[in-house]
């Protein structure tokens, strides 16, 4: 299961720390 | 994506191991900042927040992973990390040669090898590989001048 971040700042911090790119998904729940 | 692709075990493992997943509603200010006009829109960013790859529309699991590999390779390519970029492109081509992302990966792998070595041979090889395996691809068209090298 994918555990999503919901805040850009936190995702970028994690990306920096873990040396990983960010997968940013814009979605519409319909 | 949320009904089919993201619940897929292989997709989930790939994303959790290699990326930081961030999901945002398309009506939030961030969507305006990224000029998102339709969903699903998926963007691959580096850890400074700079965009390197974007797709719009649905991808099934077997196309989504190679698309992410392409995006991850492009993050490295744009940072002049050509060795790392080649690893991602080659993994895509080894595991998903029939993917829609494969022709662009061949093209960028050829360019990455050229930029690493300044030897034009990989560019010509990329064109020949594209012509043989993906003759209708726009990437074959883009690589056509390399046939003259």
């Amino acid at each position: 299961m994918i555990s999503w971040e919901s805040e850009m700042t936190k995702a970028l911090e994690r990306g920096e720390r873990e040396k990983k790119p960010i997968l940013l998904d814009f979605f519409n729940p319909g | 994506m949320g009904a089919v692709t993201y619940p897929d075990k292989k997709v989930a493992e790939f994303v959790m191991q290699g990326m930081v997943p961030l999901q945002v509603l398309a009506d939030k200010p961030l969507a305006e900042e990224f000029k998102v006009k339709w969903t699903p829109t998926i963007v691959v960013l580096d850890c400074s927040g700079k965009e390197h790859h974007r797709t719009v529309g649905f991808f099934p699991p077997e196309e989504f992973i190679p698309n992410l590999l392409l995006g991850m390779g492009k993050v490295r390519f744009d940072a002049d990390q050509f060795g790392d970029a080649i690893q991602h492109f080659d993994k895509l081509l080894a595991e998903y040669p029939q993917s829609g992302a494969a022709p662009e990966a061949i093209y960028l792998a050829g360019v990455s090898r050229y930029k690493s070595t300044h030897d034009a041979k990989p560019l010509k090889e990329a064109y020949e590989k594209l012509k043989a395996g993906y003759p209708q691809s726009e990437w074959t068209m883009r690589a056509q001048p390399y046939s003259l090298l």
Side-chain angles (χ1 to χ4, degrees), chain B residues 5-146:
Chain B
T5 302
Y6 292 144
D8 181 87
K9 187 181 174 193
K10 204 169 170 186
V11 169
E13 285 177 359
F14 181 89
V15 169
M16 293 305 291
Q17 283 174 10
M19 307 186 86
V20 176
L22 168 64
Q23 198 167 45
V24 179
L25 279 166
D27 64 354
K28 297 290 185 188
L30 193 64
E32 192 167 328
E33 185 182 323
F34 277 87
K35 298 181 171 50
V36 172
K37 300 297 179 190
W38 194 245
T39 59
T41 290
I42 290 145
V43 187
V44 178
L45 313 171
D46 63 27
C47 55
S48 74
K50 184 178 177 189
E51 176 174 343
H52 296 270
H53 181 66
R54 174 180 293 224
T55 64
V56 178
F58 172 75
F59 282 77
E62 65 274 17
E63 282 290 336
F64 191 57
I65 293 175
N67 214 278
L68 294 179
L69 280 167
L70 179 62
M72 294 162 81
K74 287 164 80 173
V75 169
R76 273 69 174 195
F77 179 87
D78 291 342
D80 294 341
Q81 296 169 356
F82 299 115
D84 287 346
I86 290 168
Q87 282 186 15
H88 284 85
F89 300 141
D90 284 354
K91 181 177 171 69
L92 188 168
L93 295 168
E95 297 181 13
Y96 303 93
Q98 298 308 313
S99 159
E104 187 174 355
I106 292 172
Y107 184 97
L108 290 176
V111 175
S112 297
R113 288 190 166 91
Y114 169 71
K115 289 179 87 69
S116 299
T117 62
H118 300 290
D119 176 0
K121 192 176 170 190
L123 294 174
K124 188 165 187 172
E125 288 173 346
Y127 170 70
E128 288 166 353
K129 194 171 179 181
L130 284 162
K131 187 181 174 191
Y134 312 87
Q136 303 303 317
S137 169
E138 68 173 276
W139 292 98
T140 307
M141 174 192 72
R142 295 187 197 205
Q144 199 276 333
Y146 307 150

Side-chain angles (χ1 to χ4, degrees), chain A residues 5 21-27, chain B residues 21-24 26 41 43 45:
Chain A
E5 298 289 350
I22 316 302
L23 164 60
L24 171 55
D25 173 37
F26 290 100
F27 78 109
Chain B
L22 168 64
Q23 198 167 45
V24 179
T41 290
V43 187
L45 313 171

Side-chain angles (χ1 to χ4, degrees), chain A residues 4-18:
Chain A
W4 296 94
E5 298 289 350
S6 59
E7 299 290 335
M8 175 65 100
T9 307
K10 193 171 176 187
L12 293 178
E13 285 173 0
R14 267 191 61 196
E16 181 73 36
R17 190 170 62 247
E18 298 174 19

